[in-house]
Amino acid sequence: MDLRIFTEPQQGASYDTLLRVARTAEQLGAFSAFFRSDHYLKMGDVSGLPGPTDAWITLAGLARETSTIRLGTLMTAATFRLPGVLAIQVAQVDAMSGGRVEFGLGAGWYAQEHTAYGIPFPKEKFGRLEEQLEIITGLWSTGPGETFDFEGEYYRLSESPALPKPAQAKIPVLVGGTGPARTPALAARFADEFNLPFVAVEDTAARFGRVREAVEKAGRQADELVYSNALVVCVGRDDAEVARRAAAIGREVDELKANGLAGTPDEVVEKIGRYAAVGSQRMYLQVLDLDDLDHLELIASRVAPQLG
């Protein structure tokens, strides 16, 4: 099982905080990537201070201040950016990192953050997401000296030089979500990885199955994709430490054990094993207390070694 760190900076984190977490995750050696959400407004009963940080500006900084850990988004909101501009931004950050970027793109869903910062929130989001994926992957795969054209319902590109190119021959593309039909079809067309956010182990197998079926229907091998889950994590050496960490993020232990990865290292390993048994290959650990670096060390020393 591949473990990755997944952060939610809109809940309250500066760039310096994110840098400490990314560097710690890299130094511990147990986590293959540092990912962050793409939001401009807090959720729930938190202050959100000092305020939002932009996902791709953050990753650009981290690209220059880390050296081995992979970097990405769960998920970049398609409503925030034009696809041509986003293709340039991601390709540039990939070059800045020496080819360590992974690109998750989602439709965008949080209407209030759009209102708060004057960002248009279109009614038809899924169609725009599909066109953005087609444009961005098309720009990156256009050969040197060739141009890229696209005529869609929402976007039009004419004689684009399709530059710059990423450092990687192919940036891994992540598609995720729980939609029963359109999301699997989108993953089948564009994704290198399919991610399920906050889905119970009992539902994971069926949802992965729909994606695998869609991938094969599209003429690809189902095993071409990586299948992953994202879940909140709360690990403690004993029950008291689990309770302390749960309280620090405003959650109840029983709820976290039911809906996330919570408990002692052995308990968390057992639950991750249940996800692995139904096809999960990668786990994004949603870390909500970004000042608790000892939490990362505990996972690296007591959970990761048991996962093989």
Side-chain angles (χ1 to χ4, degrees), residues 218-233:
R220 301 173 65 189
Q221 296 295 315
D223 289 341
E224 288 181 33
L225 271 65
V226 173
Y227 298 85
S228 64
N229 290 82
L231 293 164
V232 63
V233 67

Side-chain angles (χ1 to χ4, degrees), residues 198-214:
F198 315 114
V199 171
V201 66
E202 294 78 11
D203 298 326
T204 292
R207 296 184 187 278
F208 282 167
R210 282 195 287 267
V211 174
R212 295 178 71 90
E213 183 179 342

Side-chain angles (χ1 to χ4, degrees), residues 36 61 86 107 121 126 134 149-150 157-158 178 191 224 232 240 286-287:
R36 60 156 292 162
L86 184 55
F121 190 63
F126 198 91
E134 190 166 351
D149 296 272
F150 181 84
L157 286 75
S158 178
T178 57
E224 288 181 33
V232 63
Q286 186 194 46
V287 178

Side-chain angles (χ1 to χ4, degrees), residues 236-255:
R237 293 171 180 84
D238 51 35
D239 291 345
E241 191 168 76
V242 175
R244 175 178 65 77
R245 287 202 162 105
I249 60 175
R251 304 279 285 270
E252 297 292 332
V253 172
D254 288 346
E255 179 269 324

